[in-house]
Amino acid sequence: MVVFIAGITGVLIGAVIVSVGVALRVTYEERKAVRYRELENYVKEIETLNLLNKKINEILQKRDIYVDKSVNFISMDDCYISIDDFIYLESFSAQNNFYLPTYLIEEFFKKIAHRKVILMPDEVISMGGSTYKGGRVILESFSDELLSIIEDKKRQMKRLTHKPLYYFQRG
């Protein structure tokens, strides 16, 4: 009888040890998966912000091409945005709204819309886009804000990758 009780006790203690081990391993794997998803999210946000910043810089560089076509460029602060580029910015922002700072995007479009030069439709068609008075400053500041957000996301991602993941950590 003593051997039977000792055997049952050994089996129960072994089952408890295995259960604790399995529970620790499952929680570790869950935390690891959550952190992996967070890292993926940071990478996607950084990629999306970089793509948007790249397009903003392309628009800023196109000014020299269209300066001769338009008499509406009076100062170096004016900006030309083709219809295709503006539609791309709007659709890109709409498609990637989960990864972009919504408030920043909305403020950008509000600011740039107030700077649009009113032209006749045939002038807009002949130019293929619109002129924005002082739009260059808005685009440059928007690009700077995007770059600061990108750097912030990179710092957050670096902090997350250097944070150790323990088996016995409560979380």
Side-chain angles (χ1 to χ4, degrees), residues 14-27:
V16 167
I17 291 172
V18 168
S19 297
V20 168
V22 167
L24 284 173
R25 183 66 184 180
V26 167
T27 57

Side-chain angles (χ1 to χ4, degrees), residues 27-64:
T27 57
Y28 174 78
E29 292 296 328
E30 286 175 357
R31 281 191 306 229
K32 189 175 171 183
V34 165
R35 187 156 100 184
Y36 181 74
R37 285 192 303 271
E38 287 176 359
L39 286 171
E40 277 183 333
N41 191 34
Y42 279 127
V43 168
K44 182 65 176 167
E45 287 176 348
I46 290 170
E47 287 175 350
T48 305
L49 290 167
N50 271 330
L51 284 173
L52 183 60
N53 191 38
K54 182 179 176 185
K55 189 62 177 180
I56 294 294
N57 287 327
E58 285 177 17
I59 290 170
L60 286 170
Q61 291 172 356
K62 286 184 180 181
R63 181 186 193 283
D64 297 332

Side-chain angles (χ1 to χ4, degrees), residues 60-89:
L60 286 170
Q61 291 172 356
K62 286 184 180 181
R63 181 186 193 283
D64 297 332
I65 298 170
Y66 295 105
V67 137
D68 297 334
K69 279 186 164 183
S70 171
V71 294
N72 295 318
F73 286 105
I74 297 172
S75 69
M76 291 300 288
D77 290 341
D78 294 347
C79 184
Y80 170 83
I81 301 177
S82 70
I83 295 170
D84 295 339
D85 288 339
F86 196 79
I87 290 172
Y88 176 83
L89 286 176

Side-chain angles (χ1 to χ4, degrees), residues 145-161:
E145 289 173 354
L146 289 177
L147 288 175
S148 69
I149 292 171
I150 289 169
E151 289 304 316
D152 186 44
K153 295 288 181 187
K154 284 181 180 179
R155 279 192 297 276
Q156 291 173 356
M157 192 171 84
K158 186 171 236 163
R159 247 185 271 127
L160 188 63
T161 56

